Amino acid sequence: MAKTIDFIFDFASPNGYFARKALTGVAERTGATINLIPCLLGGLFKATGNQAPMVAFGGIKGKMDYEMLEIRRFIARHGLAAFRMNPNFPINSLTAMRGLCAVEPGPDFDTYVEAVSAGFWEGRLAMGDPAVLASVLTEAGLDAEAILTAAQTDPVKARLADNTAAAVDRGAFGVPTFFVGSEMFFGKERLGQVEEMLS
């Protein structure tokens, strides 16, 4: 039986960036296929009453310091030295996520994900600005004008909204979330559990 990891994803989440990078190794070791599902993190938060960790836990002594320690450990463990915290964080990812829906499915999907992820979490760019996003897409060899035009069409907008609603219906409340069959796992720290289940 084919093994698939449904990956609830939004560029806006640095933990989504980390998880996507590390998930490649999980897939290679287990023979699983990654099904990256574009969703809007803000939509997940709104639908479930969730908040970003810096908002939810910012007032708890030591909590965010520990979060940063965990990030440093994860970066070291998975060799993610290219990561740079974006000074524009939090970043509005709506246009970027609609653009991803505009190229899905298709041959440009992986190129788009790689380029835009790098813009968010390696290049430290203001990726909420459509002009900056267009520049990143063009540099990656993609037709930025066609993609961003398609991103504003009703079917593409509906695809992102429907993906987000479907993720909420499955139990997702944030990014990164993974599903193996009906089993849900939340957070990059659960990747070991995902791998155990697939193995």
Side-chain angles (χ1 to χ4, degrees):
M1 179 181 292
K3 296 183 285 189
T4 301
I5 306 165
D6 286 345
F7 178 21
I8 306 302
F9 177 79
D10 186 333
F11 294 112
S13 167
N15 286 322
Y17 167 90
F18 295 136
R20 190 182 69 82
K21 292 289 190 178
L23 198 57
T24 302
V26 173
E28 289 173 352
R29 290 187 294 272
T30 61
T33 299
I34 301 168
N35 177 32
L36 190 149
I37 302 173
C39 292
L40 193 64
L41 181 57
L44 293 175
F45 282 178
K46 184 176 181 179
T48 62
N50 196 8
Q51 296 177 311
M54 67 171 55
V55 176
F57 306 121
I60 299 175
K61 180 177 175 55
K63 174 69 172 174
M64 294 314 298
D65 289 340
Y66 181 80
E67 290 289 327
M68 296 310 296
L69 173 61
E70 165 58 29
I71 284 174
R72 291 193 297 272
R73 288 172 174 165
F74 196 92
I75 288 170
R77 178 179 180 183
H78 296 282
L80 303 178
F83 174 80
R84 298 290 182 272
M85 190 61 194
N86 197 314
N88 303 287
F89 183 79
I91 306 167
N92 186 330
S93 63
L94 179 61
T95 301
M97 294 310 299
R98 285 175 173 169
L100 183 56
C101 287
V103 298
E104 180 203 18
D108 293 335
F109 186 80
D110 290 342
T111 301
Y112 187 107
V113 171
E114 287 292 339
V116 176
S117 288
F120 269 81
W121 301 115
E122 296 172 16
R124 307 175 82 226
L125 303 176
M127 296 297 289
D129 182 341
V132 174
L133 175 60
S135 177
V136 166
L137 297 179
T138 299
E139 188 172 334
L142 299 173
D143 187 340
E145 182 177 359
I147 291 170
L148 295 182
T149 297
Q152 297 306 314
T153 62
D154 288 342
V156 169
K157 291 179 180 180
R159 187 176 307 152
L160 181 60
D162 291 347
N163 283 357
T164 303
V168 170
D169 287 345
R170 293 177 78 177
F173 50 82
V175 170
T177 298
F178 318 95
F179 290 94
V180 179
S182 61
E183 292 292 317
M184 185 179 97
F185 304 86
F186 173 73
K188 66 185 185 299
E189 299 82 5
R190 307 300 183 271
L191 283 172
Q193 295 177 12
V194 171
E195 186 163 357
E196 286 176 5
M197 171 159 280
L198 290 166
S199 297

